Amino acid sequence: MVTHHLVGARAIPVLSVQLDTADADRLIRDTGYTGPYSSIQLNWPLAPGVIEPVYNFRTPSAGYWSVGVYTGRISHHA
């Protein structure tokens, strides 16, 4: 059992997560991405301007997609 969060990330109140992985995937698919994912991670980076936890969907060849769990905001990082 981990009683603390990772350095560089803040704890995520689980009940506050308003978007599950299936919904986040659907938002990404709606942009036109049809490929596979190699991993999915939920984290809340300690960085200026990051106001919510994000799902990071890593792909084998197209970088990764991020989806905000409160806003549903999507970004692609090649």
Side-chain angles (χ1 to χ4, degrees), residues 32-52:
Y33 179 72
T34 59
Y37 304 117
S38 53
S39 67
I40 301 170
Q41 181 183 43
L42 175 63
N43 64 19
W44 194 342
L46 287 175
V50 179
I51 60 167
E52 63 187 331

Side-chain angles (χ1 to χ4, degrees), residues 12-77:
I12 300 169
V14 176
L15 295 177
S16 73
V17 174
Q18 300 169 6
L19 197 70
D20 65 18
T21 54
D23 294 329
D25 171 57
R26 196 170 10 265
L27 290 171
I28 293 169
R29 301 294 179 184
D30 287 348
T31 70
Y33 179 72
T34 59
Y37 304 117
S38 53
S39 67
I40 301 170
Q41 181 183 43
L42 175 63
N43 64 19
W44 194 342
L46 287 175
V50 179
I51 60 167
E52 63 187 331
V54 293
Y55 287 108
N56 291 307
F57 290 77
R58 186 161 302 281
T59 69
S61 60
Y64 68 95
W65 295 85
S66 295
V67 181
V69 300
Y70 301 151
T71 63
R73 183 177 151 256
I74 301 169
S75 57
H76 180 240
H77 314 273

